[in-house]
Amino acid sequence: MASGETNAGNTQRGNTLPNGDIYVGNFAGLVPHGFGKYMWTDGTLYYGEWDTSKMSGRGAIQWPSGASYDGDLCGGFIDGTGSFKGVDGSVYKGSWRMNRKHGMGTMVYANDDTYEGLWNEGLPDGFGKYTWVDGNIYIGLWKSGKMNGRGVMQWTNGDTLDCNWLNGLAHGKGFCKYASGACYIGTWDRGLKDGHGMFYQPGSKMPCNLEVSECVTDHDVSSSSSSGNENINSSLLFLFQKLCNTWRLHSIFHWPRRISNGTTPVFDDNSGNNLSQDSSTVPLTTDNCVQDSGVDKVLVYEREYVQGVLISENPKCHDSGMLDSGKTQEHTWQMQTGGPMETIYKGHRSYYLMLNLQLGIRYTVGKITPVPLREVRSNDFGPRARIRMYFPTEGSQYTPPHCSVNFFWKDYCPMVFRNLREMFHIDAADYMMSICGDDSLKELSSPGKSGSIFYLSQDERFVIKTLRKTELKILLKMLPKYYNHVRAYDNTLITKFFGVHRITLKGGRKVRFVVMGNMFCTELRIHRKYDLKGSTQGRSTKKQNINENTTLKDLDLSYVFHVDKPWRDALFRYHLTVCSWSPSLSSIIACSWGSILELPIT
């Protein structure tokens, strides 16, 4: 063992610790401090700066497996910026936090694929660019290591897909521009074309300009130019700005002005994400539509897909409504995503009512959630089981100040609905963030026949419906049987109730609400909707009024469903159970085939 004095006054010596580890370097008293080398008994070696026995500052780590790190450390963790070389030969250069890739960074994988972008807790998360070894490129948003959000995929053959993505698959509205010039604008469902769309053959002229995001062709900005963290940030910021500008100026509801020649490609991004293609590059019909000039012949087709299978195709002429078809497509997408609705803004007729509702739900859910979960009792049901609170604008001992109007709040059967939310696997924090977060609610512009008004959370997971006093009494009366049914059948398809509330405004006006799950919030595209009430009186829809967004009725259901006899018997038992709750149940619940086909899981 050797020792001496450094220029800084710290003792420099080498020690073999009681556990067999070896440290050679500077000390502050009895602990490593300054610069030194530490070797663990398993062969791991650290060479760098220390701060009172913790690896902090710049340093290098070498593991016996062959992996190595060179960069910043803090408090004994890899934290800051640095370069990591894995056992498999992969190399990461960028930001770290607590031993995980976090922030901006570039990863060159063992198979020579490259990712350049944002990371979160060790996985690509945020905006980034992924380049496969064969040249395919994706630029867009990521979540937990998968393509998730808006993004553009470009294949080496020149085909480009600008679309929403979900878990690595195209999912949502988008448009595909083929290398040959053909273009398809429509919707995708988990990697497959699904729903209505417009297919433009090469040479077709479009009403508005729509170009695929230009950043997918900017191959000059690559990870090779990112020698440091500053270069990484500047290159990704450049790509991000170009992509955002393109999306803002060329909305997906605009249409391409001109497309050149092309055939339908076979999509393969080399990561297992195969996208559906058109079933044929030859149109199903040979009728040509002639433009006003009488020179060019163009063909535009309105197509419908079901899970990647082309089921219908109709030609559209430029002079007979191609522009109108574009407007119809836009309207169809808007209706598919949620129907006619508007976001509640300041000055809206429902603005203060929304603020009161959000504040009341936040208060009661926050109050009941910390209470230990217990089985409900008989006194937890009924109109007397409630939480009642006054919310003055200036705040009180129990309520915070707020920017709405004074109101009284009543929450019915809080323990019952708290348990129901648990049974339906609704996290209390997610529930409050969805309804009471920074985003406003959305109001359906046309109320139902009952006169009730519907509100949707911004993520459309929850529906809030106004109730009449008689409807509230019916719901509270049937609540015990409803609770027992949900507890008996874990996977019940019945309409989910999450809370019943009442707001009393100045002057005595009372507004009652029920919060329900939105059955239309699903990753699947809904091809047809039926409102089934078990009646034939007026339960049909005029044929001329039927389109993709029409809610059909009982007599429109022209299908025969074949089910096993035990399921059939269970279906009829369930129907009788629902009817026994209340004959007025349909005034509260908008029934669907999903809620009627209630089968117990055995």
Side-chain angles (χ1 to χ4, degrees), residues 2 38 45 142 304 455 459 484:
Y38 195 103
L45 176 65
W142 295 74
E304 182 178 5
Y455 303 96
D459 57 10
N484 291 331

Side-chain angles (χ1 to χ4, degrees), residues 14 17 23 51 118 137 149 159 167 174 316 391 396 414 419 470 499 520:
L17 305 179
Y23 174 77
D51 183 10
L118 294 172
I137 297 174
D159 302 328
N167 293 327
K316 293 291 182 179
F391 286 82
S396 66
N419 282 23
T470 54
F520 297 120

Side-chain angles (χ1 to χ4, degrees), residues 159-438:
D159 302 328
T160 307
L161 178 61
D162 189 337
C163 190
N164 286 308
W165 300 77
L166 180 67
N167 293 327
L169 297 173
H171 188 86
K173 298 179 290 289
F175 69 94
C176 179
K177 183 177 180 180
Y178 305 114
S180 55
C183 182
Y184 176 78
I185 303 175
T187 56
W188 276 256
D189 179 30
R190 292 176 293 181
L192 300 173
K193 291 189 183 73
D194 198 78
H196 290 274
M198 300 297 293
F199 178 76
Y200 297 87
Q201 281 202 330
S204 301
K205 292 185 178 181
M206 314 301 172
C208 301
N209 187 26
L210 176 65
E211 296 294 339
V212 175
S213 301
E214 297 174 357
C215 59
V216 299
T217 61
D218 294 326
H219 297 161
D220 55 314
V221 182
S222 62
S223 58
S224 61
S225 64
S226 305
S227 57
N229 191 54
E230 183 177 352
N231 290 335
I232 295 175
N233 280 280
S234 61
S235 64
L236 263 296
L237 180 61
F238 171 75
L239 293 175
F240 180 74
Q241 289 174 339
K242 293 197 69 176
L243 193 56
C244 288
N245 289 338
T246 304
W247 288 338
R248 182 171 63 251
L249 295 176
H250 307 292
S251 168
I252 190 59
F253 293 134
H254 292 173
W255 300 87
R257 181 174 60 189
R258 189 178 190 283
I259 304 293
S260 59
N261 311 314
T263 56
T264 304
V266 175
F267 289 150
D268 188 354
D269 63 8
N270 222 24
S271 64
N273 302 327
N274 296 319
L275 304 180
S276 65
Q277 46 258 311
D278 298 308
S279 59
S280 174
T281 58
V282 180
L284 298 182
T285 175
T286 58
D287 295 335
N288 291 337
C289 300
V290 183
Q291 288 187 347
D292 295 336
S293 62
V295 178
D296 296 331
K297 291 183 178 180
V298 296
L299 283 173
V300 179
Y301 291 89
E302 182 179 0
R303 291 181 168 182
E304 182 178 5
Y305 289 86
V306 174
Q307 291 296 296
V309 179
L310 180 62
I311 62 172
S312 67
E313 182 178 66
N314 298 310
K316 293 291 182 179
C317 297
H318 180 80
D319 59 351
S320 63
M322 192 175 71
L323 178 59
D324 294 337
S325 67
K327 293 181 179 179
T328 302
Q329 177 92 11
E330 175 180 350
H331 179 69
T332 298
W333 280 339
Q334 291 174 336
M335 294 287 290
Q336 178 67 23
T337 55
M341 64 182 68
E342 58 180 342
T343 299
I344 301 175
Y345 53 88
K346 189 172 184 180
H348 191 278
R349 62 183 179 277
S350 300
Y351 179 70
Y352 291 113
L353 193 63
M354 178 194 71
L355 293 182
N356 296 346
L357 179 66
Q358 291 177 325
L359 183 60
I361 291 179
R362 188 184 300 116
Y363 173 82
T364 51
V365 174
K367 184 179 180 67
I368 196 70
T369 300
V371 177
L373 190 65
R374 62 168 175 81
E375 188 54 67
V376 297
R377 307 168 185 141
S378 58
N379 59 356
D380 290 322
F381 294 96
R384 294 186 177 275
R386 63 186 185 270
I387 295 176
R388 192 172 186 271
M389 185 60 62
Y390 177 59
F391 286 82
T393 55
E394 66 276 10
S396 66
Q397 181 181 357
Y398 304 103
T399 63
H402 58 89
C403 56
S404 184
V405 295
N406 299 340
F407 68 98
F408 283 95
W409 172 261
K410 184 181 287 187
D411 183 69
Y412 293 93
C413 307
M415 183 56 71
V416 176
F417 286 106
R418 181 260 178 90
N419 282 23
L420 285 172
R421 291 192 295 268
E422 291 282 346
M423 293 179 187
F424 291 130
H425 307 291
I426 299 296
D427 180 74
D430 290 342
Y431 183 70
M432 287 191 291
M433 284 300 298
S434 180
I435 299 177
C436 313
D438 296 333

Side-chain angles (χ1 to χ4, degrees), residues 78-99:
I78 296 177
D79 198 300
T81 59
S83 176
F84 178 85
K85 183 176 181 181
V87 181
D88 57 359
S90 60
V91 177
Y92 171 80
K93 296 181 180 179
S95 299
W96 296 78
R97 189 177 73 178
M98 301 287 288
N99 289 344

Side-chain angles (χ1 to χ4, degrees), residues 450-466:
S450 64
S452 298
I453 301 175
F454 292 84
Y455 303 96
L456 279 176
S457 59
Q458 276 293 334
D459 57 10
E460 301 189 5
R461 292 177 59 198
F462 302 102
V463 179
I464 303 170
K465 178 181 183 290
T466 60

